[in-house]
Amino acid sequence: MVNSEYERRIAARFTTFDQDGNGHIDRSDFSGAAKALLAEFGVAARSDKGQALYGGAEALWQGLAGIADRDGDQRITLEEFVTGAVKRLRDKPDRFAEIARPFLHAALAVADPADDGTVTVANAARALTAFGVPGDAAGPVAAALDTDGDGRVGEAEVVPAFARWFTVPE
Ligand code: CA
Ligand code: CA
Ligand code: CA
Ligand code: CA
């Protein structure tokens, strides 16, 4: 049942994780997101960056499943997501940050073709688009990630932003 503003926002996050839109979150949603990002930046799956991204995606899935997949069927339903993941992590954004960090670290590396250790806001927007953020929203969201306003998006900005986004305040 999705009836409050709070529940509606949680459902929106569920939809974001359910990348293939089949109604539950499972491992393939995470590997699919990794694949989409690699395709956007033309990075091979078997490269070091590709392997790191798939490893991070698996770690993120395992972390979320460990918290939310209460019946252990390797799927997270909306109900499990609401009652498990969101409520248990809401008061612990640091824990979610650590679960997500390897994936975000690897994703930033993929979005940094020049390997100079920085990701432009434009490339961050491309990454968000690859993850299914609508085109007209990706730019503003990427710009908002650049909290220090230097035109670049870094891990120190992305990890806490992702944790804040995930841990919906009630
Ligand atoms: Ca899915
Ligand atoms: Ca389950
Ligand atoms: Ca760069
Ligand atoms: Ca910045």
Side-chain angles (χ1 to χ4, degrees):
M1 183 174 311
V2 177
N3 48 22
S4 70
E5 170 64 20
Y6 171 68
E7 286 166 340
R8 226 168 42 74
R9 281 184 292 159
I10 293 173
R13 278 144 187 79
F14 180 86
T15 302
T16 300
F17 280 103
D18 180 16
Q19 290 264 312
D20 62 10
N22 68 351
H24 57 258
I25 300 169
D26 68 17
R27 175 179 279 111
S28 66
D29 291 311
F30 293 84
S31 58
K35 188 177 177 184
L37 187 69
L38 293 176
E40 171 65 28
F41 288 94
V43 174
R46 279 192 246 173
S47 65
D48 288 348
K49 285 185 180 182
Q51 290 299 294
L53 187 65
Y54 278 110
E58 173 67 13
L60 180 50
W61 158 245
Q62 292 286 347
L64 260 193
I67 290 161
D69 180 21
R70 286 179 303 166
D71 63 5
D73 69 349
Q74 299 293 306
R75 297 174 171 191
I76 301 171
T77 62
L78 177 58
E79 192 205 348
E80 285 177 326
F81 188 75
V82 171
T83 59
V86 175
K87 283 186 178 156
R88 288 180 61 188
L89 287 170
R90 190 171 56 217
D91 300 326
K92 299 174 188 156
D94 291 352
R95 182 167 171 206
F96 187 68
E98 293 321 306
I99 289 170
R101 185 183 299 278
F103 177 73
L104 295 173
H105 178 88
L108 286 170
V110 169
D112 178 19
D115 270 335
D116 58 8
T118 67
V119 173
T120 61
V121 169
N123 275 0
R126 286 174 61 194
L128 289 166
T129 303
F131 292 145
V133 175
D136 55 351
V141 172
L145 286 172
D146 177 22
T147 49
D148 65 6
D150 69 350
R152 302 282 190 274
V153 173
E155 188 172 328
E157 291 167 327
V158 169
V159 171
F162 194 54
R164 273 197 310 275
W165 168 80
F166 184 80
T167 51
V168 189
E170 193 155 16

